[in-house]
Structure formats: C-alpha cells, structure tokens
Amino acid sequence: MNPMLDMQKIEKRFGPVHALKGVDFQVFPHEIVGLVGENGAGKSTLMKVLLGIHEKDGGTILIDGKPIGFSGPKDANTHGICMVFQEQSLLANMAVYENMFLGFEHLFMKNGLISKKKMLAAAAEELSRIGLMIDPDAQISKLNFVQRQMIEVIRNIWKANKSGAASVVVALDEPTSALGEKDSNILFSQMEELRKMASIVFISHKLGEIARMCDRTYVLKDGENSGVFERRNVSEDVLRTQMVGGVIEGEYYLIDQQRRPGEKVVLEVKNLNRQGAFEDISFLVHEGEVFCISGAMGSGKEALCDVLYGLERYDSGSIILDGSAVYSKAPNEAVKQGIGFSPDDRKGKALIMGMSVADNIAIPLMKGVINPRKLAEVSRGMIDRLKIKTPSERTLIRNLSGGNQQKAIMARLMLTNAKLVILSHPTRGVDVGAKREIYALIREMARRGTAVILMGDSFEEDIGLSNNIMTMKDRRCTGILNADDRKPTLEEFVEYIV
Amino acid sequence: MKSLDNVAKIRNLFKGNLQIVAIFVLPLIIGVFKPNYLTLINLNNILDLSSILIISALGFIFVVECGAIDLSIEANMALAGVVMAKILQAYPGAGVLAIVAAILVSAFCGFLNGLIHTKFKIPSFLTTLGMAYISSGICTVVTEGQYVDIVDLGIREIAIGRLGGSMDAIIPNTLLIACAVAVVIWFLSEKRKHGRYVLAVGGDELIAKDLGIHVDRVKIISFAVAGATFGLAGTLLALKLAAGDSFSAVGYTFETISACVIGGIAISGGIGKMHKAILGAVIITIIRVGMVFFVVPSNVQAGILGIIVILTVAATIDRSKLSIIK
C-alpha cells in the first residue's frame, strides 16, 4: 500500500537554527499516526511546513504519489490536509451549523436565498457520520471542549471533501491536554470513528495516550527522526526514552532530592465542605512538604484548590494557615496571607500575555513607587537562575514556550516568599526536558521551606514528587498515602482513585 | 428540583420578553396618572415618533453586531436632511429624487466610515466621531447656520401623512417605511450571507478571517447600510420639521444606541436580533412622550433617559459571564 501523505527528507532552517534535518513522515489511509518529541524537536515546524505556513528548504511532499506544495492552511485544506489547534477556531456566538458552513453558504441556496433548513439537514448528516449527538442548531458556547473539537474536525473534513480532495489527513495538536480522562476517552472513541473517513495525526505530550491510540508513532529529536514505532513495539517508557535519550524513572522525578518535611504545620484544613464540590476534607501540610492532591477529573480536587486560594467560597469547616484561621474571600487576600497559586490555565489565568517576561515575573514587586530598573534587575536574576529561555527579559511572554512560561510563573511565586504554594498542573503541555526543570524548581521550593500543594499532570508525577498524597474520589478524601520512605506503586495508588 | 426548573423557565421567559412586557405595561402606568396618554391620537403619535428611531436603530444593528460602533448617527441624519432640503430648494420639482440623493450621500458617509475604520485601522468610535464633526461642519457651512425650509407640502406628505391620506387614519406613513426597512434588514441578516458574516466578525474577527471571510468588506457594507438608514431617518425627520438644519437630529446618536441596548443587543458585538432594536426604539419613545406629559423640561429628559439606559444595562446584564469590562 502506498502512503497518501509522504514527506521525504524535509529540511528547514531558521537563520542559523537547523530546525528540520531531513525528516521523513508518512501517513497511510485510515491510520492514526503519533508524532511526539520535546518542544523544539521539530514537531510543529514539520506540521507548519506541511500546511504551507513555513516554506521548506529541501525535501519533497507527496500526496497520493504526486509532489505538492501549499501556499497556506487554506490551500492545504482544499487538498485534504488540515490541522486542528488547541486554540479552537469556532465562533462561540453562533450555531453549530452556521460554524460548519461559514463561507460556504452559497451551497445552501434556494431560490437565491439561504435556506436554514438545508443547512441544518446537511449539518445533522455530517454530525451523524461519526455518531455525534449534537443539535446542529445549538450554540457553540453551549458545547463542551470535546464536542467543539469534533465539530472543527468535521468541518475540516467536509471542506476538504467539498474541494474535491480524495483523501484527508487531520492533524490534532495536543487535543487532550486540557481534558480529563473521561473526556479523553470520548475523544478516542470518536477518533476511531473518524479514521473511517480520514487519517489522523495525533500530536501529544501524553505518551501513554500515544502508545494506546496510534498505529505508528514518529519520535522526533533535535530536528531528526529518532525512531518510528509500530503499535506492538511501543510503550510510554519506550517513547520517553527515545525522546530524551535514556532517563531512569527515579532520577526523572529527582527523588534523591526529596527531603522529609519539617515539623511546623503550615496549613491545616479541617472538615472542609462545599456543597456539590467536596465533602469533609481534612489534611495537614508541613513546612517544606510536597503535598499532592490526586484524583480523576470531577473528584473535587480542582474545586478544593480554588477554595484554598479564595477563588470560591466554602460552606463549612476551617482553613488554618500558620496557626491563624483564614477565610480568603478573594485571591488578593490569599496573596496577602502568603498563598501563591499557579493555575492550570497559565495563558488565561496566570500570565499577562501582552507584557514582557520581566514584568510578568516582577508583578509581586509592583507596589508603591515602582523602580523599573530594579524590577528588571530582579527579573533578570530570576531568568538566569531558573534558566528561562528567552531572547531578552523584554520579550513578550506570549513568545515563550509553555515550559518557559511555567518557569516564569514559578519565578514569580519564588519572589513572593509565599508560605504555601498551590501548583495546578504545572507541567501541562510542557516537553519532557522542561518538565524536569520544573520538578527541580518544585524540589527547590520545598528545600527553602515552602509548603507545596501539587496537582500533577499524571499519577506518576504525583507519586514521584510528593511526600504525602491525598487521594480523592467522588468529592471525598479516600486516603492519605505516605511517599517518604517508599513510593506507592501505581497499582496500589490507583485503587484509591478509581 | 422541578419547581426550581419552573422558576428558571418563568424567569427566562420573562427575561426574553421583558421588552414586550414593558411596551404594554409602561403606557398603562403613565396612563394611570395622565389618562390622555392612552388616547388613540397619542398612541398613534408614539408610533409615528418611534418610526424614525426604529429606522436608525435597524441600520445600526449590523454595526453593533460587528463589534464596532457608529457615533456619527445624528450628524449623518442632519446632513441628509440638509442635502435634501438644499436640493428641493434648488430644484423644487426634484421630489423623491431629492430624498434618494440624500440617502446616497449618507450611505457614502457610512461607506467612508467603514473604509477609514478598516483600511487605516482606526477604532470605529474615533473614525465615526471624527466623521460626525466633519459632516456637522459641512452642514453648518452649507446652511450658514440657518434653517433650509422645505415648502413642498406634497413631498412632506411622505413623512407626515397617514395611510389612506386622511389625517384621522391610524397608521402613519413613517411606520410603513420603518416596516419596509425592517423587511430589508431581515432579508439581509437571515437570508443573505451578510447577516451571518456580521455575527462571525463580531464573534471573533481573527477566526472569521481564517475562514475566508472578507472582514473589511463585511464591516464596510455594515457601515454603508447603517449610513443609508441614517440618511432615510434624517430625511424623514427634516420633512416632518419642514426644514433641514445642522442641529435638528441632536440626541439621535444616544437614542439609537440606547434603543439597541434597552432592546438587549450586546454592545460588544456578535449577538443581536433585529426585533430587539425595534422594541428598544418603541420603549424609548414611550418614555420620551411620557415625560412630555409630565412636563419634564427637555434637558432633564435627556438626563433621565441616560439614567434609564444605565439602569437597564445594570439590571439585565448577565454578569456571571463577564470578567472583563472595557
């Protein structure tokens, strides 16, 4: 069988940077292909070359055996190549059917007028092709993330078919990074439906999902093919090793740097309740402790962290910080009391994208009369110390990779000298190398005596990093496991969660 | 839970139709104190007076839905009135052609608004505010600050006449014209691409652009359509007043925007239904005429209207979805 998409020896240079060094990439019909690699390994450059966003410096792209090159995403789409990004391109204020056919209304005319009926019927048909139970007249804003993602995929396939593309490749960029396990599974079952109509390129940092879903997986490292794995030969460990080049598990989470927590209790939570969110939660966090709260989506852990930081109210119980009861009604009070927070949505909730790296780091120092030179100096110090990769401290934070953005948030938290730091998914959407650096920062925070509450991006992360783990299930605490002397195994751990 | 559902349902029903409720309840309340308010002649008068506001609000909808704003409404209206009056003065037989010419001039002003806003990337409020001053200036120069009288009673009949010609007839011509405009706007928004593209641009310009929509063109058309309706409203107003002048339309910018806001159209763009603008325009006129019955001085009227608009927004806005206010 011939590949429908065949990229051969693709070369790309950005000035002195050799981003792609002769990369090969093939997609066969009805195949799910994984694409993994650290940030900077060349995944997104490869995809942008494919879509025509970047011009390639060498190599060939063949579609159904014919050489081709695209002028941009729109051109690529008409030839059956499309990409769905994490930042979705749907109009939330409009209906499903309007979104699906926007720009193609002329295909649904009746007597020279747009026929809503025709559009609705066509939309319903497209949705039913992959078994999506969505009212085509529903407003996009009423749908959840997975549903929106699917609608975008269907829209792309529909457009490609309309333009006469014989075969379609849909690339999904980190489709599960914002999803819980349940939603991810829904997405996966829909991907199985989708592959009947199109081939799928699945780009993700979640190696377990890649191993599970993909027929073949390409691993890129430093702009080169580092390996291609058939489904039967692949596992999360194989991929991780291939990506970073052989890192041992224990070393990965820097367990040798783990210290026993101090005696002093920093945070005491007693019988905390919030109706519909969590019930009867009690725990202690000590100086220098990494305390993980672990559980599936909907277990109540997110709501608990929101309450601790004052984003949400609680109904009963008490929160005692450093010996005195607190009731933060708003984040600014929490900050005053010495609580720092790194939310999971770092672009939307933690960083001001239009401000420089330096200003984002130095926000806690901005009070009274501001001395810009001093702020820049402090930020520069933090950038050096945390090895934040940025052209300069004046670069806008939006131009940094996810890992470096997270490090900037960590730098900011370190400047506040908070007694308690709450980290929600600090490694979400971050490549393996940057993950390790973030782990090192968490270790450093603990070493300096900060109490850290962590909600990791995977259970392995929770186990690997923590002194103690509180497990939650169905809004209740199911146990507090000690991970100081011996790390619980994943099997032991999962019992408490599922 | 079930009773809760019902409460929510009733609340939603009430919320969705608050404007319709207001249209029936407000006159009754005023009528309790001033029985004359409820006479057929006065209700008729309200319909007549709302018509001009309905026309300008209908055109304004597309601009708001795009997420833009037009502050040149009253200036554009005045310009149309002056242009028409001047043409009628110079060519007394011009008749309806004078109205058409005035509308075209206004549409061109709207087109310029859109062109400057999109091509030079100047925020719409600034562009249109500037254009407002330019057209006001032109008006004042052309009229030398005087009224330009319209003496042709035949042509004035379009704005002051009633269906069937008799002054006792119930339906004013202006209302018929407003209905015609409503049909055109409905057609553009529901049956042509324009309505969907406008919502797409108001929803997210960048996405709309990515989907291949000519964002600039959509905006320019919206401003031009708005300009045309302001022109029509302006000529009707001038015909009613029997003169065109620079200041006759003062207050219409605020009232048009208020009609949309009170009607429940999101000023931030992306959301809107044309019937809401119509309801808003009628409500504003009901209140205005009511204040005349209570002999509220006109300066105070403007202040009260301002308070009402702010209170309406404060009372009806869904704050749970708003985290950033600009």
Side-chain angles (χ1 to χ4, degrees), chain A residues 76-320:
Chain A
N77 191 253
T78 60
H79 290 87
I81 308 289
C82 37
M83 184 146 179
V84 174
F85 294 93
Q86 246 176 296
E87 299 80 16
Q88 296 173 329
S89 63
L90 292 172
L91 293 154
N93 60 327
M94 297 176 79
V96 172
Y97 80 96
E98 289 177 311
N99 265 282
M100 281 183 70
F101 304 130
L102 204 69
F104 289 83
E105 287 79 4
H106 54 276
L107 298 174
F108 303 93
M109 300 296 248
K110 201 177 152 190
N111 308 326
L113 306 177
I114 292 174
S115 161
K116 182 178 174 185
K117 217 169 122 192
K118 270 189 172 177
M119 289 175 87
L120 282 175
E125 194 192 320
E126 292 301 318
L127 293 172
S128 68
R129 278 173 74 181
I130 62 161
L132 267 186
M133 300 301 229
I134 298 172
D135 174 9
D137 206 8
Q139 212 178 331
I140 291 289
S141 59
K142 302 249 156 54
L143 305 180
N144 66 34
F145 190 85
V146 183
Q147 289 173 320
R148 295 203 303 263
Q149 211 158 28
M150 275 304 129
I151 285 167
E152 217 182 323
V153 171
I154 293 171
R155 175 173 72 185
N156 279 313
I157 295 178
W158 180 84
K159 275 199 212 170
N161 287 335
K162 271 284 168 258
S163 342
S167 36
V168 181
V169 179
V170 183
L172 301 173
D173 180 31
E174 299 274 352
T176 59
S177 70
L179 300 183
E181 206 181 325
K182 199 175 138 221
D183 285 335
S184 294
N185 283 330
I186 295 174
L187 179 76
F188 295 149
S189 65
Q190 271 155 2
M191 275 165 70
E192 289 295 341
E193 291 293 320
L194 272 179
R195 73 193 293 168
K196 293 172 191 162
M197 295 185 271
S199 306
I200 297 167
V201 178
F202 182 13
I203 305 165
S204 180
H205 286 295
K206 294 191 175 175
L207 302 178
E209 294 177 349
I210 291 274
R212 177 178 146 202
M213 287 304 297
C214 297
D215 302 313
R216 287 184 312 125
T217 303
Y218 283 84
V219 183
L220 295 187
K221 185 168 157 53
D222 300 329
E224 290 177 275
N225 287 87
S226 156
V228 187
F229 297 92
E230 296 285 330
R231 185 198 288 272
R232 60 185 183 303
N233 303 328
V234 91
S235 75
E236 197 173 341
D237 284 338
V238 169
L239 292 175
R240 183 181 296 137
T241 313
Q242 199 70 29
M243 269 170 75
V244 293
V247 180
I248 309 149
E249 201 66 14
E251 198 190 322
Y252 185 62
Y253 295 114
L254 310 169
I255 288 170
D256 58 323
Q257 289 184 27
Q258 184 165 328
R259 307 274 171 101
R260 279 184 186 278
E263 289 296 311
K264 194 178 154 215
V265 174
V266 176
L267 178 76
E268 182 178 5
V269 171
K270 268 200 287 203
N271 308 104
L272 203 64
N273 280 292
R274 176 177 156 83
Q275 208 196 342
F278 52 81
E279 292 162 35
D280 202 24
I281 303 291
S282 303
F283 61 88
L284 298 175
V285 187
H286 300 83
E287 221 173 38
E289 176 173 354
V290 179
F291 185 88
C292 282
I293 303 177
S294 202
M297 276 280 258
S299 61
K301 58 175 183 175
E302 275 87 5
L304 179 59
C305 285
D306 284 352
V307 165
L308 291 177
Y309 191 57
L311 290 166
E312 298 279 349
R313 311 292 177 86
Y314 59 90
D315 300 324
S316 65
S318 56
I319 302 173
I320 297 160

Side-chain angles (χ1 to χ4, degrees), chain B residues 63-83:
Chain B
V63 174
V64 185
E65 282 178 347
C66 278
I69 196 141
D70 191 335
L71 299 177
S72 65
I73 300 172
E74 60 197 37
N76 208 340
M77 284 174 71
L79 180 67
V82 168
V83 167

Side-chain angles (χ1 to χ4, degrees), chain A residues 35-39 43 174 203-208 210 243 427-432 435:
Chain A
L35 180 57
V36 299
E38 292 189 57
N39 284 351
K43 292 178 313 233
E174 299 274 352
I203 305 165
S204 180
H205 286 295
K206 294 191 175 175
L207 302 178
I210 291 274
M243 269 170 75
T427 58
R428 172 168 285 175
V430 161
D431 69 75
V432 178
K435 265 185 192 170

